[in-house]
Amino acid sequence: LIERARTAAACGRRIIRELPLMTATPEAPFEEMRIDLLIEEPGGWVLIDYKTDDPGDGEEEIARRYAGQVKRYREALRSLGICVKSGFLLLARTGKAIEM
């Protein structure tokens, strides 16, 4: 994923770090979010959220834990007209990427 960011930068595409967003949800009048990294690629944007969870929890459990969060990020970006073509959790302790 980091190589994809480097390639995007080398091609003059946009890279957005720490994107703050606010949205309303049925559960809360306002939800503040911060998307760690967005990379512009042909065909849409790649959403990356860094996680520091214990890798011993297993990738499936980590993906399950954060599925709702990634879904809310995608929905918030879609509401702004931003097409997210793929989303990933990037595990900081191992460097592994989990596609969501």
Side-chain angles (χ1 to χ4, degrees):
L1 290 175
I2 300 305
E3 187 58 39
R4 287 171 77 170
R6 287 185 185 124
T7 299
C11 294
R13 294 189 189 101
R14 293 174 287 180
I15 297 172
I16 302 171
R17 294 172 187 87
E18 298 289 326
L19 177 67
L21 293 171
M22 289 194 79
T23 186
T25 67
E27 297 80 30
F30 293 102
E31 180 181 13
E32 186 174 346
M33 299 179 269
R34 186 166 305 272
I35 297 174
D36 292 326
L37 184 63
L38 284 171
I39 303 168
E40 183 181 30
E41 291 187 338
W45 290 81
V46 178
L47 181 149
I48 300 169
D49 195 46
Y50 306 128
K51 295 298 176 199
T52 58
D53 295 65
D54 182 345
D57 290 347
E59 292 180 20
E60 287 182 20
E61 170 59 22
I62 294 169
R64 185 200 61 73
R65 191 176 303 151
Y66 295 106
Q69 178 185 14
V70 172
K71 181 180 178 189
R72 287 190 305 278
Y73 287 174
R74 284 177 179 259
E75 290 170 353
L77 291 168
R78 187 179 313 117
S79 74
L80 297 171
I82 297 171
C83 174
V84 176
K85 71 176 192 173
S86 59
F88 294 89
L89 300 177
L90 181 57
L91 305 183
R93 294 181 185 196
T94 64
K96 291 191 105 181
I98 303 171
E99 188 163 8
M100 301 292 288

